[in-house]
Amino acid sequence: DSRTFETLQSGETTAIFQLESRGMKELIARLRPDCFEDIIALVALFRPGPLQSGMVDNFINRKHGKEDISYPDPKYQHENLKPLLEPTYGVILYQEQVMQIAQVLAGYSLGEADVLRRAMGKKKKEEMAKQRAVFEEGAKKQGIDVKLAIKIFDLVEKFAGYGFNKSHSAAYALLSYQTAWLKTHYPGPFMAAVMSSEMDDTD
């Protein structure tokens, strides 16, 4: 609904689920979301890790054509990763993307990919050394250049610590979108309902 996205882009997001803090309003003004995938990304990006790592800047610059999109890095990319990373402009943002990269490049099963995701998230050195060897062997079997695969593995490992669960983010984003839609089309009743639900909070 184009009017709903106009509301979001205007920064008038008070009372819109997850999107009403000052910092989030600033992020929205920079990102200018224009599709549902962008709202999912907003929820995942607005956390200390992505904000401090420069990931947010990469995401915004790539969306607005100020930086080339690569999958995931200009020096180390593989065409098979494009479908997985296209929705996030080549940025590894979600835990599910970490798992999909392991499946596509190194032939991991979903269960094995989940073990990798957890190991990367917890930064366990011994487990990571083991996973690196498994990834390398898997890439070799898939006929993928091993040096490239390991470079991508290193990039994935770097971003995995910041990765957010996309299914969680999508559920939040749906509520964000629904509340934005209500505020756009029924502002009076919506704000009356919000104020009624916050009756005990003078702010």
Side-chain angles (χ1 to χ4, degrees):
D1 178 61
S2 57
R3 279 181 58 200
T4 301
F5 281 99
E6 282 167 23
T7 299
L8 291 177
Q9 291 179 2
S10 73
E12 298 287 328
T13 57
T14 298
I16 294 176
F17 182 71
Q18 287 284 306
L19 306 183
E20 58 181 334
S21 72
R22 197 180 73 192
M24 179 57 100
K25 285 178 178 179
E26 287 168 6
L27 178 57
I28 290 168
R30 290 175 61 208
L31 181 67
R32 300 195 302 278
D34 56 13
C35 61
F36 186 62
E37 279 283 354
D38 283 352
I39 305 175
I40 301 174
L42 272 171
V43 177
L45 286 166
F46 191 64
R47 294 175 303 116
L51 287 165
Q52 287 157 16
S53 68
M55 204 166 157
V56 171
D57 296 326
N58 290 140
F59 190 96
I60 291 169
N61 289 336
R62 288 178 178 199
K63 175 175 171 62
H64 296 303
K66 293 176 185 168
E67 185 181 303
D68 289 341
I69 296 175
S70 45
Y71 305 100
D73 182 88
K75 287 188 217 155
Y76 311 111
Q77 50 184 331
H78 197 283
E79 60 190 13
N80 292 2
L81 301 186
K82 186 177 176 180
L84 320 179
L85 298 176
E86 210 160 17
T88 51
Y89 311 102
V91 173
I92 301 166
L93 179 57
Y94 305 119
Q95 291 175 351
E96 287 88 338
Q97 288 173 316
V98 168
M99 293 170 68
Q100 287 174 311
I101 289 169
Q103 285 180 281
V104 166
L105 286 190
Y108 277 57
S109 70
L110 269 173
E112 290 163 343
D114 194 47
V115 170
L116 173 70
R117 175 193 65 78
R118 277 187 304 215
M120 283 184 165
K122 290 176 181 166
K123 297 180 170 43
K124 292 180 174 174
K125 279 190 180 172
E126 284 172 31
E127 183 60 34
M128 284 315 300
K130 203 189 300 176
Q131 287 294 337
R132 178 182 292 269
V134 173
F135 197 94
E136 190 173 336
E137 193 54 41
K140 211 179 282 179
K141 281 181 190 160
Q142 304 278 103
I144 286 165
D145 181 289
V146 171
K147 279 186 183 170
L148 175 65
I150 288 302
K151 289 290 185 189
I152 292 173
F153 181 91
D154 291 340
L155 283 168
V156 172
E157 186 178 1
K158 180 185 157 192
F159 287 109
Y162 307 127
F164 195 66
N165 184 286
K166 185 178 184 181
S167 55
H168 185 97
S169 205
Y172 272 16
L174 182 60
L175 288 174
S176 304
Y177 181 77
Q178 287 169 335
T179 49
W181 188 90
L182 287 168
K183 185 176 181 179
T184 301
H185 294 280
Y186 300 97
F190 175 73
M191 290 309 293
V194 168
M195 289 165 78
S196 299
S197 74
E198 300 288 351
M199 196 72 87
D200 300 332
D201 183 346
T202 45
D203 284 344

